[in-house]
Amino acid sequence: MTDTSTHAPPAGEMGYEQARDELVAVVRRLEAGGSTLEESLALWERGEELAAVCRRRLEGARARLDAVLAEDGEGTADGTADEAAGDEGAADGAGAANGRE
């Protein structure tokens, strides 16, 4: 397979911003076209890795924020109160009420 990231570190070692920026570049290259099938597949795979890194970093940040808010008694980052934090149904309802899916 063609190496699309000759100078890029492994995706798992990247911070959020670095992974996001490379993901944007990968998407632009895919949208521009002109790549061989093999190159396109390699780009797609790299994009999937980068998206997973971004998702993990964001989930980690949300967990840290939730922990701090819970310590301060202010609820969680998704707007749920401390009492409802353990109730998944209540948390889903609060997210939907805030316009989030």
Coordinates of all heavy atoms in Angstrom, one line a residue:
M1 N 0.8 -1.2 0.0 CA 0.0 0.0 0.0 C 0.9 1.2 0.0 O 1.9 1.3 0.6 CB -0.9 0.0 1.2 CG -2.3 0.4 0.9 SD -3.4 0.3 2.3 CE -4.3 -1.2 1.7
T2 N 0.4 2.3 -0.6 CA 1.1 3.6 -0.7 C 1.1 4.3 0.7 O 0.1 4.4 1.3 CB 0.5 4.5 -1.7 OG1 0.4 3.8 -3.0 CG2 1.3 5.8 -1.9
D3 N 2.3 4.7 1.1 CA 2.4 5.4 2.4 C 2.0 6.9 2.1 O 2.6 7.6 1.4 CB 3.9 5.4 2.9 CG 4.0 6.0 4.2 OD1 3.0 6.3 4.9 OD2 5.2 6.3 4.7
T4 N 0.9 7.3 2.8 CA 0.4 8.7 2.6 C 0.9 9.6 3.7 O 0.7 10.8 3.6 CB -1.1 8.7 2.7 OG1 -1.5 8.2 3.9 CG2 -1.7 7.8 1.5
S5 N 1.7 9.1 4.6 CA 2.1 9.9 5.7 C 3.6 9.7 6.0 O 4.0 9.2 7.1 CB 1.3 9.6 7.0 OG 1.3 8.2 7.3
T6 N 4.5 10.0 5.1 CA 5.9 9.7 5.2 C 6.5 10.4 6.4 O 7.4 9.9 7.0 CB 6.7 10.1 4.0 OG1 6.4 11.5 3.7 CG2 6.2 9.2 2.8
H7 N 6.0 11.6 6.8 CA 6.6 12.3 7.9 C 5.7 12.4 9.1 O 6.1 13.0 10.1 CB 7.1 13.7 7.4 CG 8.1 13.7 6.3 ND1 9.3 13.2 6.5 CD2 8.0 14.1 5.1 CE1 10.0 13.3 5.4 NE2 9.2 13.8 4.5
A8 N 4.5 11.9 9.0 CA 3.6 12.0 10.1 C 3.8 11.0 11.1 O 4.1 9.8 10.8 CB 2.1 11.9 9.5
P9 N 3.6 11.3 12.4 CA 3.8 10.3 13.4 C 2.6 9.3 13.4 O 1.6 9.6 12.8 CB 3.8 11.1 14.7 CG 3.0 12.4 14.4 CD 3.3 12.6 12.9
P10 N 2.7 8.2 14.0 CA 1.6 7.3 14.1 C 0.4 8.0 14.7 O 0.5 8.9 15.6 CB 2.0 6.2 15.1 CG 3.5 6.2 15.0 CD 3.9 7.7 14.8
A11 N -0.8 7.7 14.2 CA -2.0 8.5 14.6 C -2.2 8.5 16.1 O -2.6 9.5 16.7 CB -3.2 7.9 13.9
G12 N -1.9 7.4 16.8 CA -2.2 7.3 18.2 C -1.3 8.2 19.0 O -1.6 8.5 20.2
E13 N -0.2 8.7 18.5 CA 0.7 9.6 19.2 C 0.4 11.0 19.0 O 1.1 11.9 19.5 CB 2.2 9.3 18.7 CG 2.6 7.9 19.1 CD 4.0 7.6 18.6 OE1 4.7 8.5 18.1 OE2 4.5 6.5 18.7
M14 N -0.6 11.3 18.2 CA -0.9 12.7 17.8 C -1.9 13.3 18.8 O -2.7 12.6 19.4 CB -1.6 12.8 16.5 CG -0.8 12.3 15.3 SD -1.8 12.4 13.8 CE -0.7 13.1 12.7
G15 N -1.8 14.6 19.0 CA -2.7 15.4 19.7 C -4.0 15.7 18.9 O -3.9 15.4 17.6
Y16 N -5.0 16.2 19.5 CA -6.2 16.4 18.7 C -6.0 17.4 17.5 O -6.5 17.1 16.4 CB -7.3 17.0 19.7 CG -8.5 17.5 18.9 CD1 -9.5 16.5 18.5 CD2 -8.7 18.8 18.6 CE1 -10.6 16.9 17.8 CE2 -9.8 19.2 17.9 CZ -10.8 18.2 17.5 OH -11.9 18.6 16.7
E17 N -5.4 18.5 17.8 CA -5.3 19.5 16.7 C -4.4 18.9 15.5 O -4.8 19.2 14.4 CB -4.6 20.8 17.2 CG -5.5 21.6 18.2 CD -5.5 21.0 19.6 OE1 -4.8 20.1 19.9 OE2 -6.3 21.6 20.4
Q18 N -3.4 18.2 15.8 CA -2.5 17.7 14.8 C -3.3 16.6 14.0 O -3.3 16.6 12.7 CB -1.3 17.1 15.4 CG -0.3 16.6 14.3 CD 1.0 16.0 15.0 OE1 1.1 15.8 16.2 NE2 2.0 15.8 14.1
A19 N -4.1 15.8 14.7 CA -4.9 14.7 14.0 C -6.0 15.4 13.1 O -6.2 15.0 12.0 CB -5.5 13.8 15.0
R20 N -6.6 16.4 13.7 CA -7.7 17.1 13.0 C -7.1 17.8 11.7 O -7.7 17.7 10.6 CB -8.3 18.2 13.9 CG -9.5 18.9 13.2 CD -9.7 20.3 13.8 NE -8.5 21.0 13.8 CZ -8.1 21.9 14.7 NH1 -8.8 22.1 15.8 NH2 -7.0 22.6 14.6
D21 N -6.0 18.4 11.8 CA -5.4 19.1 10.7 C -5.0 18.1 9.6 O -5.3 18.4 8.4 CB -4.2 20.0 11.1 CG -4.6 21.1 11.9 OD1 -5.8 21.5 12.0 OD2 -3.7 21.7 12.6
E22 N -4.4 17.0 10.0 CA -4.1 16.0 8.9 C -5.4 15.4 8.3 O -5.4 15.1 7.1 CB -3.2 14.9 9.5 CG -2.7 14.0 8.4 CD -1.8 12.9 8.9 OE1 -1.2 13.0 10.0 OE2 -1.7 11.9 8.1
L23 N -6.4 15.2 9.2 CA -7.6 14.6 8.6 C -8.3 15.6 7.6 O -8.7 15.1 6.6 CB -8.6 14.4 9.8 CG -10.0 13.9 9.4 CD1 -9.9 12.5 8.7 CD2 -10.8 13.7 10.7
V24 N -8.2 16.9 7.9 CA -8.7 17.8 6.9 C -7.9 17.7 5.6 O -8.5 17.7 4.5 CB -8.6 19.3 7.5 CG1 -8.9 20.3 6.4 CG2 -9.6 19.4 8.6
A25 N -6.6 17.6 5.7 CA -5.8 17.5 4.5 C -6.1 16.2 3.7 O -6.2 16.2 2.5 CB -4.3 17.5 4.8
V26 N -6.3 15.1 4.4 CA -6.7 13.8 3.8 C -8.0 13.9 3.1 O -8.1 13.5 1.9 CB -6.8 12.7 4.9 CG1 -7.5 11.4 4.3 CG2 -5.4 12.3 5.3
V27 N -9.0 14.6 3.7 CA -10.3 14.7 3.1 C -10.2 15.6 1.8 O -10.8 15.3 0.8 CB -11.3 15.4 4.1 CG1 -12.6 15.8 3.3 CG2 -11.6 14.4 5.2
R28 N -9.4 16.6 1.9 CA -9.2 17.5 0.7 C -8.6 16.7 -0.5 O -9.0 16.8 -1.6 CB -8.3 18.7 1.0 CG -9.1 19.7 1.8 CD -8.3 21.0 2.0 NE -9.0 22.0 2.8 CZ -8.6 22.7 3.7 NH1 -7.3 22.6 4.0 NH2 -9.3 23.5 4.4
R29 N -7.6 15.9 -0.1 CA -6.9 15.1 -1.2 C -7.9 14.1 -1.8 O -7.9 13.9 -3.0 CB -5.7 14.3 -0.6 CG -4.5 15.3 -0.4 CD -3.3 14.5 0.1 NE -2.8 13.5 -0.9 CZ -1.9 12.6 -0.6 NH1 -1.4 12.6 0.6 NH2 -1.5 11.8 -1.5
L30 N -8.7 13.5 -0.9 CA -9.7 12.5 -1.5 C -10.8 13.2 -2.3 O -11.2 12.7 -3.4 CB -10.4 11.8 -0.3 CG -9.6 10.7 0.3 CD1 -10.3 10.2 1.6 CD2 -9.4 9.5 -0.6
E31 N -11.2 14.4 -1.9 CA -12.2 15.2 -2.7 C -11.6 15.7 -4.0 O -12.4 15.8 -5.0 CB -12.7 16.3 -1.8 CG -13.7 15.9 -0.7 CD -14.1 17.0 0.2 OE1 -13.5 18.1 0.2 OE2 -15.1 16.8 0.9
A32 N -10.4 16.0 -4.0 CA -9.7 16.5 -5.2 C -9.7 15.4 -6.3 O -9.7 15.8 -7.5 CB -8.3 17.0 -4.9
G33 N -9.6 14.2 -5.9 CA -9.6 13.1 -6.9 C -8.2 13.0 -7.5 O -7.2 13.6 -7.0
G34 N -8.1 12.2 -8.5 CA -6.8 12.1 -9.2 C -5.9 11.1 -8.6 O -4.8 10.8 -9.2
S35 N -6.2 10.5 -7.5 CA -5.4 9.4 -6.9 C -5.7 8.1 -7.5 O -6.9 7.9 -7.9 CB -5.6 9.4 -5.4 OG -5.3 10.6 -4.8
T36 N -4.8 7.2 -7.4 CA -5.1 5.8 -7.8 C -6.0 5.2 -6.8 O -6.1 5.7 -5.7 CB -3.8 5.0 -7.9 OG1 -3.2 4.8 -6.6 CG2 -2.8 5.6 -8.9
L37 N -6.6 4.1 -7.1 CA -7.4 3.3 -6.2 C -6.6 3.0 -4.9 O -7.1 3.2 -3.8 CB -8.0 2.1 -6.8 CG -8.8 1.2 -5.9 CD1 -10.0 2.0 -5.4 CD2 -9.2 -0.1 -6.6
E38 N -5.4 2.5 -5.1 CA -4.6 2.1 -4.0 C -4.3 3.3 -3.1 O -4.3 3.3 -1.9 CB -3.3 1.5 -4.5 CG -2.5 0.7 -3.5 CD -3.3 -0.6 -3.0 OE1 -4.1 -1.1 -3.8 OE2 -3.1 -1.0 -1.9
E39 N -3.9 4.5 -3.7 CA -3.7 5.7 -2.9 C -4.9 6.2 -2.2 O -4.9 6.6 -1.0 CB -3.2 6.8 -3.8 CG -1.8 6.6 -4.4 CD -1.4 7.5 -5.5 OE1 -2.3 8.1 -6.1 OE2 -0.2 7.7 -5.7
S40 N -6.1 6.1 -2.9 CA -7.3 6.5 -2.2 C -7.7 5.6 -1.0 O -8.1 6.1 0.0 CB -8.5 6.4 -3.3 OG -8.3 7.4 -4.3
L41 N -7.5 4.3 -1.2 CA -7.7 3.4 -0.1 C -6.8 3.7 1.1 O -7.2 3.7 2.3 CB -7.5 1.9 -0.5 CG -8.7 1.4 -1.4 CD1 -8.3 0.0 -1.9 CD2 -10.0 1.4 -0.7
A42 N -5.5 4.0 0.8 CA -4.6 4.3 1.9 C -5.0 5.6 2.6 O -4.9 5.7 3.8 CB -3.2 4.4 1.3
L43 N -5.4 6.6 1.8 CA -5.9 7.8 2.4 C -7.1 7.6 3.2 O -7.2 8.2 4.3 CB -6.2 8.9 1.3 CG -5.0 9.5 0.6 CD1 -5.5 10.2 -0.7 CD2 -4.3 10.5 1.6
W44 N -8.1 6.8 2.7 CA -9.3 6.5 3.5 C -8.9 5.9 4.8 O -9.4 6.3 5.9 CB -10.2 5.6 2.7 CG -11.4 5.3 3.4 CD1 -11.6 4.2 4.3 CD2 -12.6 6.0 3.4 NE1 -12.9 4.2 4.8 CE2 -13.5 5.3 4.3 CE3 -13.1 7.2 2.8 CZ2 -14.8 5.8 4.5 CZ3 -14.3 7.6 3.0 CH2 -15.2 6.9 3.9
E45 N -8.0 4.9 4.8 CA -7.6 4.2 6.0 C -7.0 5.2 7.0 O -7.2 5.1 8.2 CB -6.7 3.0 5.7 CG -7.4 1.9 5.0 CD -6.4 0.8 4.5 OE1 -5.2 1.1 4.4 OE2 -6.9 -0.2 4.1
R46 N -6.1 6.0 6.5 CA -5.5 7.0 7.4 C -6.5 8.0 8.0 O -6.5 8.3 9.1 CB -4.4 7.8 6.6 CG -3.7 8.9 7.4 CD -2.8 8.3 8.5 NE -2.0 9.3 9.1 CZ -1.3 9.1 10.2 NH1 -1.1 7.9 10.6 NH2 -0.6 10.1 10.7
G47 N -7.5 8.4 7.1 CA -8.6 9.2 7.6 C -9.3 8.6 8.7 O -9.7 9.2 9.7
E48 N -9.6 7.3 8.6 CA -10.3 6.6 9.7 C -9.5 6.5 10.9 O -10.1 6.7 12.0 CB -10.7 5.1 9.2 CG -11.7 5.0 8.1 CD -13.1 5.4 8.6 OE1 -13.4 5.2 9.8 OE2 -13.9 5.8 7.8
E49 N -8.2 6.3 10.8 CA -7.4 6.3 12.0 C -7.4 7.7 12.7 O -7.5 7.8 13.9 CB -5.9 6.0 11.7 CG -5.7 4.6 11.2 CD -4.2 4.4 10.7 OE1 -3.4 5.3 10.9 OE2 -4.0 3.4 10.1
L50 N -7.3 8.7 11.9 CA -7.2 10.1 12.4 C -8.6 10.5 13.1 O -8.6 11.1 14.1 CB -6.9 11.1 11.3 CG -5.5 10.9 10.7 CD1 -5.3 11.7 9.4 CD2 -4.4 11.4 11.8
A51 N -9.7 10.1 12.4 CA -11.0 10.4 13.0 C -11.1 9.7 14.4 O -11.7 10.3 15.3 CB -12.1 9.9 12.0
A52 N -10.6 8.5 14.5 CA -10.7 7.7 15.7 C -9.9 8.4 16.8 O -10.3 8.5 18.0 CB -10.2 6.3 15.6
V53 N -8.7 9.0 16.4 CA -7.9 9.7 17.4 C -8.6 10.9 17.9 O -8.7 11.2 19.1 CB -6.5 10.1 16.8 CG1 -5.8 11.1 17.6 CG2 -5.7 8.9 16.6
C54 N -9.2 11.7 16.9 CA -10.0 12.9 17.3 C -11.1 12.5 18.2 O -11.4 13.2 19.3 CB -10.5 13.6 16.1 SG -9.2 14.4 15.1
R55 N -11.9 11.5 17.9 CA -13.0 11.0 18.8 C -12.5 10.7 20.2 O -13.1 11.1 21.2 CB -13.7 9.8 18.1 CG -15.0 9.5 18.6 CD -15.8 8.5 17.8 NE -15.0 7.6 16.9 CZ -14.8 7.7 15.6 NH1 -15.3 8.7 14.9 NH2 -14.0 6.8 15.0
R56 N -11.4 9.9 20.3 CA -10.9 9.5 21.6 C -10.4 10.7 22.4 O -10.7 10.8 23.6 CB -9.7 8.5 21.4 CG -10.2 7.1 21.2 CD -9.0 6.1 21.3 NE -7.8 6.5 20.6 CZ -7.6 6.1 19.3 NH1 -8.5 5.3 18.7 NH2 -6.5 6.4 18.7
R57 N -9.8 11.7 21.7 CA -9.3 12.9 22.4 C -10.5 13.7 22.9 O -10.4 14.2 24.0 CB -8.4 13.7 21.5 CG -7.2 13.0 21.0 CD -6.1 13.0 22.1 NE -4.9 12.4 21.5 CZ -4.1 11.6 22.1 NH1 -4.4 11.2 23.4 NH2 -3.0 11.2 21.5
L58 N -11.5 13.8 22.1 CA -12.7 14.6 22.5 C -13.4 13.9 23.7 O -13.9 14.6 24.6 CB -13.6 14.8 21.3 CG -13.1 15.8 20.3 CD1 -14.0 15.8 19.1 CD2 -13.0 17.2 20.9
E59 N -13.5 12.6 23.6 CA -14.2 11.8 24.7 C -13.4 12.0 26.0 O -14.0 12.1 27.0 CB -14.3 10.4 24.3 CG -15.4 10.1 23.2 CD -15.4 8.7 22.6 OE1 -14.5 7.9 23.0 OE2 -16.3 8.4 21.8
G60 N -12.1 11.9 25.9 CA -11.2 12.1 27.1 C -11.4 13.5 27.6 O -11.5 13.7 28.9
A61 N -11.5 14.5 26.8 CA -11.6 15.9 27.3 C -13.0 16.0 27.9 O -13.1 16.7 29.0 CB -11.5 16.9 26.1
R62 N -14.0 15.4 27.4 CA -15.4 15.5 28.0 C -15.4 14.8 29.3 O -16.0 15.3 30.3 CB -16.4 14.8 27.1 CG -17.8 14.8 27.7 CD -18.9 14.2 26.8 NE -19.1 15.0 25.6 CZ -19.9 16.0 25.5 NH1 -20.6 16.4 26.6 NH2 -20.1 16.7 24.4
A63 N -14.7 13.7 29.4 CA -14.7 12.9 30.7 C -14.0 13.8 31.8 O -14.4 13.9 32.9 CB -14.0 11.6 30.5
R64 N -12.9 14.4 31.4 CA -12.1 15.3 32.3 C -13.0 16.5 32.8 O -13.0 16.8 33.9 CB -10.8 15.8 31.7 CG -9.8 14.7 31.5 CD -8.6 15.2 30.8 NE -8.0 16.4 31.5 CZ -7.1 17.1 30.9 NH1 -6.6 16.9 29.7 NH2 -6.6 18.2 31.6
L65 N -13.7 17.1 31.8 CA -14.6 18.2 32.1 C -15.7 17.7 33.0 O -16.1 18.4 34.0 CB -15.1 18.8 30.9 CG -16.0 20.0 31.0 CD1 -15.3 21.1 31.8 CD2 -16.5 20.5 29.7
D66 N -16.3 16.6 32.7 CA -17.4 16.1 33.6 C -16.9 15.8 35.0 O -17.6 16.1 35.9 CB -17.9 14.8 33.0 CG -18.8 15.0 31.8 OD1 -19.2 16.2 31.5 OD2 -19.1 14.0 31.0
A67 N -15.7 15.3 35.1 CA -15.1 15.0 36.4 C -15.0 16.3 37.2 O -15.3 16.3 38.4 CB -13.8 14.3 36.3
V68 N -14.5 17.3 36.6 CA -14.3 18.6 37.3 C -15.6 19.2 37.7 O -15.8 19.7 38.8 CB -13.5 19.6 36.4 CG1 -13.5 21.0 37.0 CG2 -12.0 19.1 36.3
L69 N -16.6 19.2 36.7 CA -17.9 19.7 37.0 C -18.6 18.9 38.1 O -19.3 19.5 39.0 CB -18.8 19.7 35.8 CG -18.3 20.7 34.7 CD1 -19.2 20.6 33.4 CD2 -18.4 22.2 35.2
A70 N -18.4 17.6 38.1 CA -19.0 16.8 39.2 C -18.4 17.1 40.5 O -19.1 17.2 41.6 CB -18.9 15.3 38.9
E71 N -17.1 17.4 40.6 CA -16.5 17.7 41.8 C -17.0 19.1 42.4 O -17.2 19.3 43.6 CB -15.0 17.9 41.6 CG -14.2 16.6 41.6 CD -12.7 16.8 41.3 OE1 -12.2 18.0 41.5 OE2 -12.0 15.8 41.0
D72 N -17.3 20.0 41.4 CA -17.8 21.3 41.8 C -19.3 21.3 42.0 O -19.9 22.3 42.4 CB -17.5 22.3 40.7 CG -16.0 22.6 40.7 OD1 -15.2 22.3 41.6 OD2 -15.5 23.1 39.6
G73 N -20.0 20.2 41.8 CA -21.4 20.1 42.0 C -22.2 20.8 40.9 O -23.3 21.2 41.2
E74 N -21.6 21.0 39.7 CA -22.3 21.8 38.7 C -22.9 20.9 37.6 O -23.2 21.4 36.5 CB -21.3 22.8 38.1 CG -20.9 23.8 39.1 CD -20.0 24.9 38.5 OE1 -20.0 25.0 37.3 OE2 -19.3 25.6 39.3
G75 N -23.0 19.6 37.7 CA -23.5 18.7 36.7 C -22.4 18.3 35.8 O -21.3 18.2 36.2
T76 N -22.8 18.0 34.5 CA -21.8 17.5 33.5 C -21.8 18.3 32.3 O -22.6 19.2 32.1 CB -22.2 16.0 33.1 OG1 -23.5 16.1 32.5 CG2 -22.2 15.1 34.3
A77 N -20.8 18.1 31.4 CA -20.6 18.9 30.2 C -21.8 18.8 29.3 O -22.0 19.8 28.5 CB -19.3 18.4 29.5
D78 N -22.6 17.8 29.3 CA -23.7 17.7 28.4 C -25.0 18.3 29.0 O -26.1 18.2 28.5 CB -24.0 16.3 27.9 CG -24.4 15.3 29.1 OD1 -24.5 15.7 30.2 OD2 -24.7 14.1 28.7
G79 N -24.9 19.0 30.2 CA -26.0 19.7 30.7 C -26.8 18.9 31.7 O -27.8 19.5 32.2
T80 N -26.5 17.7 32.0 CA -27.3 16.9 33.0 C -26.9 17.3 34.4 O -25.7 17.6 34.7 CB -27.1 15.4 32.8 OG1 -25.7 15.1 32.9 CG2 -27.6 15.0 31.4
A81 N -27.8 17.2 35.3 CA -27.5 17.5 36.7 C -26.9 16.3 37.4 O -26.9 15.2 36.8 CB -28.8 17.8 37.4
D82 N -26.2 16.5 38.5 CA -25.5 15.4 39.2 C -26.5 14.3 39.5 O -26.1 13.1 39.3 CB -25.0 15.9 40.5 CG -23.7 16.7 40.3 OD1 -23.0 16.5 39.3 OD2 -23.3 17.5 41.2
E83 N -27.7 14.6 39.9 CA -28.7 13.5 40.2 C -29.0 12.6 39.0 O -29.2 11.5 39.1 CB -30.0 14.1 40.7 CG -29.8 14.9 42.0 CD -29.3 16.3 41.8 OE1 -29.6 16.9 40.7 OE2 -28.6 16.8 42.7
A84 N -29.0 13.2 37.8 CA -29.3 12.5 36.6 C -28.1 11.9 35.9 O -28.2 11.2 34.9 CB -30.1 13.4 35.6
A85 N -26.9 12.2 36.4 CA -25.7 11.8 35.7 C -25.6 10.2 35.6 O -25.1 9.7 34.6 CB -24.4 12.3 36.4
G86 N -26.1 9.5 36.5 CA -26.1 8.1 36.5 C -27.2 7.5 35.7 O -27.3 6.3 35.4
D87 N -28.2 8.3 35.4 CA -29.4 7.8 34.7 C -29.3 8.1 33.2 O -29.4 9.2 32.8 CB -30.7 8.5 35.3 CG -32.0 8.1 34.6 OD1 -31.9 7.2 33.8 OD2 -33.0 8.6 35.0
E88 N -29.0 7.0 32.4 CA -28.8 7.2 31.0 C -30.0 7.8 30.3 O -29.8 8.7 29.4 CB -28.4 5.9 30.3 CG -27.0 5.5 30.8 CD -26.6 4.1 30.1 OE1 -27.4 3.6 29.3 OE2 -25.6 3.6 30.5
G89 N -31.2 7.5 30.7 CA -32.3 8.0 30.0 C -32.4 9.5 30.2 O -32.8 10.3 29.3
A90 N -32.1 10.0 31.4 CA -32.2 11.4 31.7 C -31.1 12.1 31.0 O -31.3 13.2 30.5 CB -32.1 11.6 33.2
A91 N -29.9 11.5 30.9 CA -28.8 12.2 30.2 C -29.2 12.3 28.7 O -28.9 13.3 28.1 CB -27.5 11.4 30.3
D92 N -29.8 11.3 28.1 CA -30.2 11.3 26.7 C -31.2 12.4 26.5 O -31.2 13.2 25.5 CB -30.7 10.0 26.2 CG -29.6 8.9 26.1 OD1 -28.4 9.3 26.1 OD2 -29.9 7.8 26.1
G93 N -32.2 12.5 27.3 CA -33.2 13.5 27.2 C -32.6 14.9 27.3 O -33.0 15.8 26.6
A94 N -31.7 15.1 28.2 CA -31.1 16.5 28.4 C -30.3 16.8 27.1 O -30.4 18.0 26.7 CB -30.2 16.5 29.6
G95 N -29.6 15.9 26.5 CA -28.8 16.2 25.3 C -29.8 16.5 24.2 O -29.5 17.4 23.4
A96 N -30.9 15.8 24.0 CA -31.8 16.1 23.0 C -32.5 17.4 23.2 O -32.8 18.2 22.3 CB -32.9 15.0 22.9
A97 N -32.8 17.8 24.5 CA -33.4 19.0 24.8 C -32.5 20.2 24.4 O -33.0 21.3 24.2 CB -33.8 19.1 26.3
N98 N -31.2 20.0 24.5 CA -30.3 21.0 24.2 C -30.0 21.1 22.7 O -29.0 21.8 22.3 CB -29.0 20.8 25.0 CG -29.1 21.1 26.4 OD1 -30.0 21.9 26.8 ND2 -28.3 20.4 27.2
G99 N -30.7 20.4 21.9 CA -30.5 20.4 20.4 C -29.3 19.5 20.0 O -28.9 19.6 18.9
R100 N -28.9 18.6 20.9 CA -27.8 17.7 20.5 C -28.4 16.4 20.2 O -29.4 16.0 20.8 CB -26.8 17.6 21.6 CG -26.1 18.9 21.9 CD -25.0 18.8 22.9 NE -24.4 17.5 22.9 CZ -24.2 16.9 24.1 NH1 -24.5 17.3 25.2 NH2 -23.6 15.7 24.1
E101 N -27.7 15.6 19.4 CA -28.2 14.3 19.1 C -27.3 13.3 19.7 O -26.2 13.5 20.0 CB -28.3 14.0 17.6 CG -29.3 15.0 17.0 CD -29.4 14.8 15.5 OE1 -28.9 13.8 15.0 OE2 -30.0 15.6 14.8

